[in-house]
């Protein structure tokens, strides 16, 4: 009911204007003295002409107000608020520069693309992990692609969000980049150092995912190279995270340097008067018959004199290559065990030698 009352008022007001204007025409159109009769009556033709001109002007105003009233009535009947135009200059001044290009639609599609990028990158890296574990010969190569694909994938999807969805102005991007750069630079220097270290590791490749490395007191297989840290699994099956910034400032020892095989060193202490020829022969035979040995590289037997617990011993060092770095400690244990057992069986050494 309130809507119909408002509509009626909108339509009545123009016609009321006509009535008011028509009633007051005589008062607002004065006539010169020469156009009046001696008795004071106005000249009828001239007065009618003036009234007609004034009426046309009023009618023009009424038409404008009538059209406006019709548009307002249509908006009210359709359940919408009357349209009120805001000047473009005032709107631009009231809206911040950084928020002018942001809308709910852009936020929604940015979230969709971000979620899609996460799923795609997760799927690709998961497939590479599966194939790398099934293919022993290509395991290190496939694992080395995982961090590269992860970083490049995020760069591509973020670039699509910025240039394809948000599409900010160049001035706004430069201003925001400078502000964020200064703030982040002071607030998170260590994080930026680690991120820079991760990028350098991927470009310089001192090691890859799957390599056996030693840094400080930690030794193990590299399982992940991230932007902030590198994770390795130790022989005790412990996961160690090392910040990339520390890797940049320390020496890193790589056992296999991207290859699947690596060298294994087994050390055995022997009496000084032992027959080294027979011992060397037994050690080489044990190493060659192991199912873990990599025979395309040489087997080396070395002897050193070493004092241990105030006694002098002959230390034998057996150097051989294992065909898969994951069998490193299994091969080392087997080699040491079989060599000592064979020496005892052939009476080359005795248990009294170590008392």
């Amino acid at each position: 009911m309130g809507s119909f009352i408002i509509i009626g008022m909108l339509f009545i007001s123009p016609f009321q204007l006509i009535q008011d204007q028509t009633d007051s025409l005589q008062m607002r159109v004065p006539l010169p003295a020469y156009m009046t009769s001696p008795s004071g009556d106005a000249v009828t033709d001239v007065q009618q002409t003036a009234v007609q001109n004034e009426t046309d002007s009023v009618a023009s105003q009424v038409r404008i107000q009538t059209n406006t009233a019709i548009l307002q009535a249509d908006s009210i009947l359709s359940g919408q608020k009357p349209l009120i135009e805001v000047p473009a200059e005032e709107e631009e001044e009231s809206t911040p520069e950084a928020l002018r290009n942001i809308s709910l639609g852009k936020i929604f599609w940015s979230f969709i693309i971000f979620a899609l990028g996460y799923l795609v990158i997760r799927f690709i890296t998961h497939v590479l992990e599966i194939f790398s574990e099934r293919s022993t010969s290509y395991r290190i190569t496939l694992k080395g692609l995982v961090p590269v694909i992860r970083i490049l994938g995020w760069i591509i999807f973020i670039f699509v969000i910025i240039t394809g969805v948000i599409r900010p102005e160049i001035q706004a991007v430069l201003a925001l980049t400078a502000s964020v750069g200064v703030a982040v630079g002071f607030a998170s220097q260590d994080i930026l150092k680690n991120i820079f270290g991760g990028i350098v590791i991927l470009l310089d490749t001192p090691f890859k995912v799957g390599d056996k490395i030693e840094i400080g007191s930690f030794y193990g297989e590299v399982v992940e190279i991230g932007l902030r840290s590198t994770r390795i699994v130790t022989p005790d099956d412990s996961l160690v995270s090392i910040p990339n910034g520390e890797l940049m400032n320390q020496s890193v020892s790589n056992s296999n340097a991207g290859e699947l095989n690596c060298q294994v060193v087994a050390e055995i202490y022997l009496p000084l008067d032992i027959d080294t020829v027979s011992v060397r022969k037994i050690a080489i035979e044990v190493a060659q018959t192991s199912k873990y040995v990599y025979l395309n590289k040489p087997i080396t037997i070395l002897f050193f004199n070493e004092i241990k617990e105030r006694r002098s011993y002959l230390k034998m060092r057996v150097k051989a290559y294992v065909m898969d770095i994951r069998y490193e400690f299994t091969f080392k244990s087997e080699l040491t065990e079989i060599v000592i057992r064979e020496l005892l069986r052939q009476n080359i050494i005795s248990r009294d030698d170590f008392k």
Side-chain angles (χ1 to χ4, degrees):
M1 180 61 69
S3 300
F4 290 104
I5 293 175
I6 295 173
I7 295 170
M9 294 177 63
L10 292 173
F11 278 103
I12 290 172
S13 59
F15 297 104
Q16 184 66 36
L17 177 63
I18 296 175
Q19 184 66 32
D20 295 340
Q21 295 290 340
T22 304
D23 293 341
S24 61
L25 284 178
Q26 293 295 336
M27 299 299 295
R28 295 188 293 109
V29 183
L31 296 177
Y34 66 86
M35 289 187 179
T36 61
S37 62
S39 61
D41 295 334
V43 178
T44 305
D45 293 339
V46 175
Q47 186 177 7
Q48 289 179 352
T49 302
V51 171
Q52 182 65 34
N53 292 336
E54 186 70 16
T55 303
D56 292 340
S57 176
V58 173
S60 177
Q61 297 179 9
V62 170
R63 282 195 298 270
I64 295 174
Q65 293 189 8
T66 302
N67 293 332
T68 304
I70 293 173
L71 293 176
Q72 301 262 356
D74 290 340
S75 299
I76 294 174
L77 290 175
S78 61
Q80 300 178 355
K81 295 182 179 179
L83 299 177
I84 300 177
E85 301 258 340
V86 178
E89 296 180 357
E90 296 181 2
E91 183 179 1
E92 290 182 359
E93 292 177 357
S94 61
T95 305
E97 183 72 20
L99 301 177
R100 193 171 298 169
N101 293 322
I102 298 178
S103 63
L104 292 177
K106 291 181 178 181
I107 295 176
F108 172 76
W109 285 110
S110 299
F111 177 78
I112 293 298
I113 295 175
F114 184 86
L116 179 63
Y118 173 79
L119 294 176
V120 170
I121 294 173
R122 186 73 179 269
F123 174 76
I124 295 175
T125 53
H126 183 66
V127 170
L128 288 176
E129 290 284 350
I130 293 175
F131 278 102
S132 64
E133 294 297 332
R134 292 181 179 179
S135 177
T136 304
S137 57
Y138 296 101
R139 185 178 69 233
I140 296 179
T141 303
L142 294 176
K143 283 183 174 292
L145 295 175
V146 171
V148 177
I149 291 176
R150 184 181 291 115
I151 293 176
L152 290 180
W154 280 120
I155 291 175
I156 292 173
F157 279 102
I158 292 174
F159 179 79
V160 170
I161 291 174
I162 294 176
T163 60
V165 178
I166 300 178
R167 288 179 290 182
E169 297 180 359
I170 300 298
Q171 294 82 357
V173 174
L174 294 178
L176 182 62
T177 302
S179 302
V180 172
V182 173
V184 173
F186 283 104
S188 56
Q189 295 181 3
D190 293 337
I191 296 177
L192 292 178
K193 182 173 66 175
N194 292 330
I195 292 176
F196 179 75
I199 296 175
V200 171
I201 290 173
L202 293 177
L203 295 177
D204 190 40
T205 61
F207 53 84
K208 300 178 181 178
V209 176
D211 286 355
K212 284 287 189 74
I213 65 171
E214 181 178 3
I215 175 169
S217 59
F218 300 107
Y219 175 78
E221 180 182 349
V222 179
V223 295
E224 182 181 351
I225 301 176
L227 285 178
R228 194 194 69 83
S229 63
T230 298
R231 294 177 174 86
I232 64 174
V233 175
T234 64
D236 298 329
D237 201 24
S238 298
L239 183 64
V240 180
S241 296
I242 304 173
N244 293 327
E246 296 184 8
L247 292 174
M248 295 286 294
N249 300 324
Q250 297 186 25
S251 300
V252 179
S253 176
N254 195 331
S255 298
N256 56 316
E259 296 185 7
L260 189 61
N261 61 85
C262 72
Q263 187 182 79
V264 177
V265 179
E267 296 179 345
I268 301 174
Y269 288 89
L270 303 170
L272 290 176
D273 56 350
I274 198 170
D275 184 2
T276 57
V277 176
S278 300
V279 173
R280 177 180 283 107
K281 181 180 179 181
I282 292 173
I284 292 176
E285 290 179 355
V286 171
Q288 289 177 341
T289 55
S290 175
K291 63 179 180 179
Y292 304 112
V293 70
Y294 183 67
L295 295 175
N296 291 337
K297 291 188 176 181
I299 299 173
T300 306
I301 309 296
L302 301 175
F303 292 95
F304 301 93
N305 186 17
E306 186 170 315
I307 297 176
K308 185 177 182 181
E309 296 180 358
R310 298 181 181 181
R311 293 183 59 180
S312 181
Y313 292 96
L314 194 64
K315 183 174 69 175
M316 180 180 65
R317 179 175 293 176
V318 182
K319 293 184 177 181
Y321 287 83
V322 64
M323 63 179 181
D324 192 335
I325 58 173
R326 293 185 174 178
Y327 300 139
E328 174 186 3
F329 295 99
T330 303
F331 177 55
K332 182 177 181 179
S333 175
E334 179 189 77
L335 187 63
T336 304
E337 179 183 354
I338 295 178
V339 168
I340 293 177
R341 187 172 58 198
E342 189 64 23
L343 293 176
L344 289 172
R345 190 184 66 84
Q346 297 185 18
N347 293 324
I348 297 177
I349 61 174
S350 62
R351 291 180 176 83
D352 296 333
D353 296 332
F354 302 98
K355 292 182 179 179

